[in-house]
Amino acid sequence: MTDRIIRFLRDRRPSTPCVVVDLDRVEENYRALAGALPNSRIFYAVKANPGAPVLKRLADLGSCFDTASVPEIEMALAAGATPDRISFGNTIKKQGDIARAYQLGVRLYAYDSVEELEKIAASAPGSKVFCRILTDGAGAEWPLSRKFGCVPEMAQDLLVKAADFGLQPVGVSFHVGSQQCNVEAWDGALAQAAAIFRHCEANGIELSLVNLGGGFPTRYRNGVPTAEIYGRAIDASLKRHFGNHMPDTIIEPGRGMVGDAGIIESEVVLVARKSYDADERPWVYLDVGKFGGLAETMDESIRYQISTPHDGGEDQPVIIAGPTCDSADVLYEKNVYRLPTALKAGDRVRILSTGAYTTSYSAVNFNGFAPLAAHYI
Ligand SMILES: *Cc1c(COP(=O)(O)O)cnc(C)c1O
């Protein structure tokens, strides 16, 4: 929790629910990641928090941007990034969107299939391309496996093929899964990347780039290793697998850049029991839920820390839910959360480390609830 956010909430008392994002913390995170991996260029994953002030601060710091759609490309450009600092990193792109990205000057594209390669060759001729390989996402709390990437044997063929299509094959990408708490998770993918580099070299293709993806965690209820520890582990793996032929590298942090820079303030709508059974947990309903920005509570994957005005007093196990008329809108039931017994309707609670994957996930009008309001300070 940053002092600036606490002061803002105290002095302004903004209406709830809202998220307050501290841009200085974003900057600190940028500098920590840049310091931890000094040889890597940073491509901020825009989807984590596409707020214009976040993009502007990062653009001013020299960050590049990983985008997944034409509007994200336009937002990065509006923030001041030049097209050479933008990658179109989604492996699933419409033909027309590739053409538009090319028109906007973007020359770096991701792919993981020959069908996508054909689209890129047709609408973004001569561009640089990198091929994404599958990972299993083990150790991640929000895995990004299966849907993206192809097996290494396919990736090496696809990179050779890219040159046949008149594109510039530059390297390999992967994502080890979001909120990746195992600092060694990059090692296996880097071994595969190095093998692909060797195969391509034997086929006359000189690759130069490894895109290490995101995965850098944010502190929720439990502590996480520092950026520096991730940097050391990744650097050791790079040396182990690439030896004296170190590739250029880029990282695409999303959560690790903005997660702990934001706090959601929410009002308690109702605290109630459903029976006279004293062993049954009371329900605590907040004015923010799965549809108001807390989508990552799906399957209770991301377990946010919640602070209340009564912390330190007697507490009890509770079930926590959002305000909408949808029974999917339950935040935590399987995981035991304890909240103060004194908590009551009208109290304001804070959901910590909610700067990533909240505003961008918020529904536009479900049950008439407005999208999550955001204050960037
Ligand atoms: C979402 C995404 C990221 C960001 O991941 P984090 O775990 O939030 O750092 C990076 N790269 C790609 C391709 C992504 O889709």
Side-chain angles (χ1 to χ4, degrees):
M1 228 190 292
T2 81
D3 292 342
R4 295 181 69 228
I5 296 179
I6 291 169
R7 256 183 284 141
F8 179 89
L9 287 169
R10 189 192 59 209
D11 299 343
R12 300 278 199 91
R13 271 189 85 75
S15 54
T16 67
C18 68
V19 63
V20 185
V21 177
D22 182 345
L23 298 170
D24 288 350
R25 176 58 67 85
V26 176
E27 177 165 344
E28 281 167 35
N29 290 337
Y30 177 87
R31 292 188 192 285
L33 286 160
L37 288 149
N39 298 318
S40 296
R41 287 170 80 198
I42 296 180
F43 282 66
Y44 170 61
V46 172
K47 74 175 187 290
N49 187 324
V54 172
L55 302 185
K56 172 80 169 56
R57 177 68 69 99
L58 288 171
D60 289 349
L61 287 164
S63 184
C64 303
F65 296 89
D66 175 53
T67 63
S69 65
V70 170
E72 282 192 352
I73 292 168
E74 289 169 341
M75 287 188 268
L77 290 170
T82 44
D84 58 312
R85 289 162 61 189
I86 296 172
S87 69
F88 202 163
N90 193 344
T91 53
I92 307 153
K93 301 176 286 298
K94 290 203 276 194
Q95 189 83 62
D97 289 348
I98 298 170
R100 178 69 184 137
Y102 187 76
Q103 205 175 46
L104 290 169
V106 176
R107 296 290 181 271
L108 183 59
Y109 296 83
Y111 71 108
D112 59 8
S113 67
V114 70
E115 292 80 2
E116 187 73 11
L117 197 56
E118 285 165 0
K119 285 193 272 176
I120 299 170
S123 296
S127 290
K128 293 180 174 167
V129 290
F130 56 86
C131 189
R132 181 160 171 176
I133 54 174
L134 277 164
T135 61
D136 64 9
E141 290 177 18
W142 190 263
L144 294 165
S145 53
R146 286 180 29 254
K147 180 170 171 184
F148 309 104
C150 61
V151 296
E153 308 83 77
M154 185 181 276
Q156 59 194 28
D157 294 343
L158 288 178
L159 285 160
V160 173
K161 213 163 247 156
D164 300 339
F165 279 124
L167 295 162
Q168 299 179 54
V170 290
V172 173
S173 77
F174 54 83
H175 194 301
V176 295
S178 199
Q179 188 69 6
Q180 175 54 262
C181 293
N182 176 10
V183 301
E184 299 295 338
W186 281 257
D187 191 69
L190 281 171
Q192 293 179 337
I196 293 169
F197 270 55
R198 287 191 295 271
H199 173 94
C200 285
E201 195 177 356
N203 286 275
I205 307 274
E206 191 93 34
L207 299 180
S208 58
L209 179 75
V210 176
N211 176 344
L212 301 159
F216 305 95
T218 274
R219 192 201 153 101
Y220 294 111
R221 293 207 294 180
N222 301 316
V224 293
T226 60
E228 199 188 337
I229 294 173
Y230 281 87
R232 254 185 271 140
I234 291 170
D235 196 50
S237 289
L238 278 165
K239 291 204 174 86
R240 188 175 311 134
H241 301 298
F242 286 90
N244 292 328
H245 298 93
M246 286 288 258
D248 298 330
T249 52
I250 66 181
I251 56 171
E252 299 174 331
R255 190 185 305 278
M257 189 78 86
V258 292
D260 68 355
I263 293 177
I264 286 179
E265 183 143 280
S266 166
E267 182 180 320
V268 177
V269 182
L270 176 70
V271 183
R273 291 179 184 274
K274 302 209 174 287
S275 78
Y276 300 117
D277 181 352
D279 290 339
E280 236 179 55
R281 288 178 279 169
W283 287 66
V284 173
Y285 301 91
L286 305 177
D287 67 358
V288 66
K290 271 201 166 60
F291 303 100
L294 301 177
E296 287 198 314
T297 58
M298 200 186 297
D299 298 326
E300 307 192 16
S301 301
I302 298 295
R303 293 171 295 280
Y304 298 107
Q305 191 183 337
I306 300 175
S307 80
T308 81
H310 310 288
D311 287 355
E314 187 197 338
D315 63 9
Q316 61 186 345
V318 296
I319 298 167
I320 305 173
T324 65
C325 293
D326 189 316
S327 57
D329 193 8
V330 176
L331 304 180
Y332 302 113
E333 186 172 13
K334 286 185 303 203
N335 285 277
V336 175
Y337 267 71
R338 299 186 69 91
L339 288 178
T341 314
L343 195 68
K344 57 183 187 316
D347 284 343
R348 285 182 167 218
V349 301
R350 290 175 184 166
I351 308 171
L352 309 190
S353 294
T354 41
Y357 303 115
T358 51
T359 53
S360 46
Y361 269 146
S362 177
V364 292
N365 195 20
F366 183 50
N367 263 174
F369 291 105
L372 183 62
H375 306 277
Y376 297 95
I377 63 172

